[in-house]
Amino acid sequence: MPITVDIDVMLARRKMSVGELAERVGITPANLAVLKNGRAKAVRFATLAALCQVLECQPGDLLRWETENTAGG
């Protein structure tokens, strides 16, 4: 899929654990892992907004589009 999820990058920049982020956003660590690992089929805008609020970032800091060639697909 040409959408890459960069939650790991923002977690490292904020020195935050997956568990802490999940708790602060209000989703389960398992659901956050699905999103973080790029296995999610969709993301609710409310969840994306909460991620951005907690991580103090923009949606483009978490999601980016790549062509099939650069995404390894």
Side-chain angles (χ1 to χ4, degrees), residues 1-54:
M1 176 187 260
I3 300 295
T4 300
V5 181
D6 289 326
I7 291 176
D8 281 339
V9 173
M10 293 307 298
L11 282 171
R13 287 183 183 167
R14 302 298 186 250
K15 295 181 173 74
M16 188 180 298
S17 70
V18 171
E20 180 183 353
L21 179 60
E23 183 178 327
R24 292 179 61 186
V25 169
I27 61 176
T28 66
N31 283 341
L32 181 57
V34 167
L35 179 60
K36 181 177 78 71
N37 295 324
R39 295 188 318 263
K41 300 291 184 200
V43 60
R44 293 181 187 270
F45 282 160
T47 302
L48 183 58
L51 287 166
C52 290
Q53 182 178 10
V54 171

